[in-house]
Amino acid sequence: SSSKTTKINISIYLMKHIGNTLISIYITLLKEYEVLTKIVTSGIIGIIGDFLAQSFEYNVGMDHHQQQRNQNLNRVFSLDWVRLFGIFFESTFVAGPLMHYAYDYMEHLVPIHDDDEKEFHGNMDVEKRKTISLSKWAAAGFHVLADIFILGPIFVFTMMLVTSIIEGRIATFSSELALDFGPALWASTLASFSFVPMQLMAFKCLPIKFRLLYMNLQDIVWNAVVSVMAHKSRK
């Protein structure tokens, strides 16, 4: 029992150490190469999301006939590398930069973080602080809704378009778009709404430079869901 406890404590320590090291490296790179760091991180997250999507499709998403056929042919799971590269390319060169500049523009349009306020915050009365706090929550709510209802459809479309081009399916893109865009957008919206409380907290509390990192982590699930739906007609 004491041996197991020791192993657990060592594992927790190593995980915390690795996590702190990665965060430190990310912050350092963010200071030196902000946009590049953000878009490369988006690409890596896209790969993780599509890997989960392909694993889901193989293990869960197949119907009984497909499962039986794979068993009869002794098929094992294998990655679709072209599809994986398509998701990586779209996440790195389209979604990542777009999120970076869109979030900066939303912060300019409806500010959440006001540096000037910090200097005078200590001298404010309680009512003034409450008013500012409410306005910041309202601004964060605007950012979240804009992300879901404005950026969401754009990202679903660009994922379908870019992956269609890279996978050599541009000739059938219009029919795939007609069949799969609606369900993919619906799945995207549901996935996004499931994260609304955490996203609201992140947008309200995190500095703007860390917002894309949070969204990248959230997008592991989002990418997996949308990738599955975007490829339904391509199987």
Side-chain angles (χ1 to χ4, degrees), residues 27-230:
I27 292 173
T28 301
L29 291 173
L30 200 61
K31 290 178 181 177
E32 297 293 328
Y33 315 100
E34 181 178 358
V35 178
L36 181 62
T37 300
K38 287 179 177 180
I39 65 175
V40 170
T41 305
S42 294
I44 294 170
I45 293 300
I47 289 174
I48 296 172
D50 190 58
F51 173 80
L52 294 175
Q54 293 191 43
S55 301
F56 172 84
E57 289 169 354
Y58 180 82
N59 293 296
V60 181
M62 296 180 297
D63 58 31
H64 176 73
H65 176 71
Q66 289 173 312
Q67 291 175 351
Q68 189 64 45
R69 183 176 61 183
N70 281 348
Q71 289 174 2
N72 292 338
L73 296 175
N74 294 319
R75 286 182 177 170
V76 295
F77 172 68
S78 61
L79 278 173
D80 183 339
W81 291 99
V82 175
R83 167 177 165 175
L84 198 70
F85 174 74
I87 295 292
F88 168 77
F89 187 92
E90 191 275 337
S91 298
T92 303
F93 297 105
V94 181
L98 180 55
M99 278 196 287
H100 167 74
Y101 291 111
Y103 292 155
D104 278 357
Y105 179 71
M106 286 193 292
E107 182 66 21
H108 171 75
L109 194 66
V110 184
I112 299 174
H113 306 285
D114 186 355
D115 292 334
D116 294 334
E117 176 217 322
K118 295 177 183 177
E119 184 178 347
F120 303 102
H121 194 274
N123 300 322
M124 292 180 186
D125 57 37
V126 175
E127 290 302 318
K128 182 67 173 177
R129 291 184 185 183
K130 286 182 179 179
T131 302
I132 290 176
S133 179
L134 287 173
S135 68
K136 287 180 178 293
W137 281 112
F142 166 81
H143 287 214
V144 171
L145 292 175
D147 181 65
I148 294 173
F149 292 109
I150 298 176
L151 297 182
I154 295 173
F155 291 140
V156 172
F157 177 80
T158 57
M159 179 185 285
M160 293 186 69
L161 176 61
V162 173
T163 57
S164 179
I165 294 170
I166 290 176
E167 293 172 25
R169 301 183 62 94
I170 192 63
T172 58
F173 173 69
S174 58
S175 60
E176 291 173 359
L177 188 68
L179 286 171
D180 294 335
F181 181 77
L185 181 58
W186 177 244
S188 160
T189 305
L190 290 179
S192 297
F193 265 106
S194 69
F195 287 100
V196 161
M198 289 180 287
Q199 189 175 349
L200 194 61
M201 287 288 294
F203 279 26
K204 164 66 169 60
C205 301
L206 289 178
I208 184 69
K209 64 181 179 180
F210 292 118
R211 187 177 299 177
L212 187 55
L213 176 61
Y214 165 78
M215 288 305 299
N216 281 334
L217 296 175
Q218 176 178 310
D219 282 349
I220 292 175
V221 175
W222 188 92
N223 276 318
V225 170
V226 176
S227 181
V228 168
M229 300 303 295

